[in-house]
Amino acid sequence: DTGVSQDPRHKITKRGQNVTFRCDPISEHNRLYWYRQTLGQGPEFLTYFQNEAQLEKSRLLSDRFSAERPKGSFSTLEIQRTEQGDSAMYLCASSLWGSRGENTEAFFGQGTRLTVV
Amino acid sequence: KNQVEQSPQSLIILEGKNCTLQCNYTVSPFSNLRWYKQDTGRGPVSLTIMTFSENTKSNGRYTATLDADTKQSSLHITASQLSDSASYICVVISFGNEKLTFGTGTRLTIIP
């Protein structure tokens, strides 16, 4: 257990439905990352937060995707109008970014496996 | 474009044998490089972190090397065990924004 938890672990949804995933990072970590991983591939960056601020969004994050981290603690990733191509593992990671620019290693959650049917 | 390439894509070896996984990257500017182990259906778990000045680092049966001049890294596993069966992912972190760029991983299978 890395200390990063994701919920749910698995989600099956019909095409066109909306889904929301939650990530609880390690409590003192101020950076939180979302990645998407398809079978046989490495994780692809989606977005990351420093505290509650969303600092970067990948072009992979279409307008159907939205992520929030309202209080700088847990984060949610919502996918609207899901498509079959959204089927993947969605990974969350957290790290501690220091005031001098040093960054601890990123710890990953177990992921949420999304299947769109 | 910042990229991380790993080889081989997959590898099957007998239990007890050694193996070496390769990682080449073009990420710049470079901050550090990490090797992660990912079991099927689980999140990646860190094995080693290599900074610019480090050439070799060991963690039990895992030894990572880094050549920052040629932008290459390797992960050597000695006396492999069945539990080593997993994907091994090389991740390079950019200096400044600390962005993680992932390789596609090497799928390692240990057979008895």
Side-chain angles (χ1 to χ4, degrees):
Chain A
D1 181 10
T2 63
V4 179
S5 61
Q6 292 187 244
D7 184 68
R9 290 292 310 278
H10 304 275
K11 178 72 178 178
I12 300 174
T13 190
K14 289 184 179 179
R15 190 174 51 186
Q17 298 293 306
N18 299 343
V19 294
T20 300
F21 311 140
R22 176 179 169 125
C23 172
D24 286 90
I26 294 172
S27 59
E28 62 267 26
H29 283 185
N30 51 13
R31 283 209 167 174
L32 186 147
Y33 308 80
W34 283 101
Y35 292 86
R36 181 173 71 186
Q37 185 177 27
T38 52
L39 204 61
Q41 300 295 315
E44 297 172 296
F45 171 77
L46 293 179
T47 186
Y48 85 96
F49 294 83
Q50 176 135 333
N51 299 312
E52 64 276 7
Q54 189 172 18
L55 296 189
E56 187 175 345
K57 290 166 59 173
S58 161
R59 287 180 221 169
L60 292 174
L61 216 65
S62 75
D63 55 8
R64 296 185 298 105
F65 288 70
S66 62
E68 294 183 342
R69 194 183 183 198
K71 297 180 182 177
S73 56
F74 73 91
S75 175
T76 57
L77 177 68
E78 181 184 14
I79 308 174
Q80 297 182 325
R81 305 181 302 281
T82 53
E83 301 173 356
Q84 286 189 318
D86 297 332
S87 295
M89 172 82 87
Y90 289 84
L91 290 165
C92 172
S94 71
S95 68
L96 180 63
W97 174 267
S99 58
R100 290 176 296 172
E102 71 277 18
N103 198 22
T104 65
E105 68 172 284
F107 291 86
F108 284 82
Q110 301 280 33
T112 293
R113 166 72 66 189
L114 172 67
T115 303
V116 181
V117 298
Chain B
K1 180 182 176 184
N2 286 335
Q3 286 186 314
V4 179
E5 296 188 350
Q6 293 186 242
S7 63
Q9 272 193 322
S10 61
L11 183 62
I12 302 174
I13 63 172
L14 289 172
E15 185 181 9
K17 296 296 186 182
N18 305 337
C19 66
T20 300
L21 315 180
Q22 300 290 345
C23 173
N24 296 337
Y25 63 92
T26 61
V27 175
S28 181
F30 174 88
S31 175
N32 59 83
L33 181 147
R34 302 168 188 178
W35 283 93
Y36 282 84
K37 178 185 178 185
Q38 185 175 24
D39 292 314
T40 301
R42 304 178 79 86
V45 176
S46 178
L47 293 175
T48 67
I49 300 175
M50 306 286 290
T51 60
F52 187 86
S53 58
E54 294 175 311
N55 299 121
T56 303
K57 183 176 280 189
S58 292
N59 176 7
R61 294 179 298 102
Y62 301 103
T63 299
T65 66
L66 174 65
D67 186 334
D69 291 331
T70 61
K71 298 188 176 181
Q72 295 179 325
S73 176
S74 67
L75 181 69
H76 186 73
I77 305 174
T78 58
S80 60
Q81 301 176 356
L82 296 177
S83 60
D84 293 332
S85 294
S87 288
Y88 291 83
I89 304 175
C90 175
V91 183
V92 180
I93 292 83
S94 306
F95 180 79
N97 61 12
E98 297 293 312
K99 185 174 178 180
L100 283 69
T101 303
F102 285 77
T104 54
T106 292
R107 178 70 206 173
L108 177 64
T109 304
I110 311 298
I111 57 177

